[in-house]
Amino acid sequence: MLELRNVDTYYGTIQALHDVSLTIGKGEIVTLIGANGAGKSTTLMTICGINRPRHGEILLEGKPIHRLTSDAVVRHGIIQVPEGRLIFPDMTVQENLDLGAFLRKDAVGIQTDLDYVFSLFPILAERRRQLGGTLSGGEQQMLAISRALMARPRILLLDEPSLGLAPIIISQIFSIIRKVNEDGVTVFLVEQNANQALRIADRGYVMENGRVVMADTAQKLLESQQVRKAYLGM
Ligand code: ATP
């Protein structure tokens, strides 16, 4: 569904991605794991059209999207949940969700999706009139994911959804990600929490210093000595 082919991305003169190639199949959960500064967020920013690749191509169903503006990428159904959640703290939960549906005109579909996110995260329904900034970290992550779902993504890009959250909340968030995937959304999950990410993913890529150094099924990566030593602390 989505393919990066030999992508190089730079910040000025600094090259952050080197010859990155990866694929995300329709209906899959694919994860990209790696240490701090490996280039995971840059990969997402490049897919979203925020950073342009200097070389290489990004194809959505075979059509190039790497020259599109970031709002055009959103219109193609590629929606990112950014790292650090970035909800609007001075707006209510409901207003944050309304913003997710900003580009849509289908009132009935929007209501259906609102019911859907409230069924995934009932706590958000309870807090819909509360300001985003008053939510706990876990609830803010739920809101950030829900806001992205309100855009009705075809591909959901998640940047470290587990960051700074307690283990019990992480498990809850990851099981919802799996549920959203089962309900038809393709998922690309960027994570430092390799263990949790590989447990819900179909396939994974390992990134080091801006390069993809391993690619395999999630199960094989979980079993790999190299991954266990470097990323699972075993
Ligand atoms: P993290 O888990 O910390 O988010 P990451 O794997 O997502 O790490 P990136 O944020 O993509 O890594 O960073 C990749 C490289 O690009 C790093 O060397 C980083 O210092 C550099 N970098 C990231 N953003 C910028 C920027 N705005 N300007 C210059 N260099 C940057």
Side-chain angles (χ1 to χ4, degrees):
M1 190 171 189
L2 188 71
E3 182 177 2
L4 274 69
R5 272 195 201 154
N6 311 108
V7 167
D8 292 341
T9 300
Y10 287 72
Y11 292 103
T13 55
I14 300 165
Q15 187 168 1
L17 297 186
H18 299 259
D19 199 27
V20 169
S21 294
L22 52 86
T23 59
I24 301 161
K26 192 167 164 51
E28 280 191 309
I29 300 182
V30 175
T31 187
L32 178 65
I33 60 173
N36 232 330
K40 305 181 301 298
S41 298
T42 304
T43 304
L44 288 189
M45 298 296 184
T46 306
I47 294 170
C48 292
I50 296 164
N51 290 0
R52 298 276 166 124
R54 196 169 290 180
H55 303 289
E57 292 181 302
I58 303 177
L59 306 169
L60 177 67
E61 289 166 334
K63 298 200 182 85
I65 58 164
H66 52 276
R67 291 191 196 88
L68 300 182
T69 57
S70 49
D71 59 317
V73 173
V74 167
R75 281 175 215 277
H76 279 80
I78 301 177
I79 312 292
Q80 185 179 181
V81 182
E83 186 180 326
R85 314 190 257 276
L86 303 181
I87 55 132
F88 294 96
D90 298 328
M91 296 172 86
T92 64
V93 166
Q94 182 68 55
E95 287 165 343
N96 270 277
L97 293 172
D98 292 345
L99 274 180
F102 184 69
L103 291 174
R104 296 174 62 182
K105 304 272 185 284
D106 56 324
V108 175
I110 292 171
Q111 185 57 48
T112 304
D113 290 346
L114 191 61
D115 294 342
Y116 176 63
V117 299
F118 285 155
S119 75
L120 293 175
F121 300 114
I123 190 81
L124 295 182
E126 281 172 35
R127 307 212 163 172
R128 61 199 290 174
R129 291 191 180 78
Q130 214 170 299
L131 294 181
T134 67
L135 301 179
S136 70
E139 289 161 0
Q140 289 190 20
Q141 185 58 265
M142 293 173 194
L143 180 56
I145 293 171
S146 299
R147 186 182 57 190
L149 291 174
M150 290 303 295
R152 200 170 271 194
R154 298 174 64 210
I155 305 182
L156 188 64
L157 310 177
L158 292 143
D159 196 350
E160 300 215 26
S162 77
L163 194 71
L165 301 181
I168 188 157
I169 308 289
I170 297 175
S171 301
Q172 205 184 335
I173 300 263
F174 276 60
S175 62
I176 296 285
I177 294 169
R178 183 137 61 172
K179 162 94 171 87
V180 166
N181 173 254
E182 285 165 4
D183 290 339
V185 180
T186 300
V187 172
F188 186 47
L189 170 63
V190 158
E191 260 299 339
Q192 277 195 57
N193 188 335
N195 188 26
Q196 295 269 6
L198 289 170
R199 281 180 195 288
I200 65 160
D202 299 298
R203 291 187 301 112
Y205 293 88
V206 180
M207 184 166 252
E208 286 175 8
N209 301 318
R211 295 174 198 276
V212 172
V213 294
M214 286 178 85
D216 214 325
T217 63
Q219 189 57 37
K220 290 256 173 61
L221 290 174
L222 269 174
E223 289 162 4
S224 138
Q225 281 306 327
Q226 203 181 326
V227 170
R228 287 164 74 90
K229 211 164 141 207
Y231 300 102
L232 304 178
M234 293 178 183

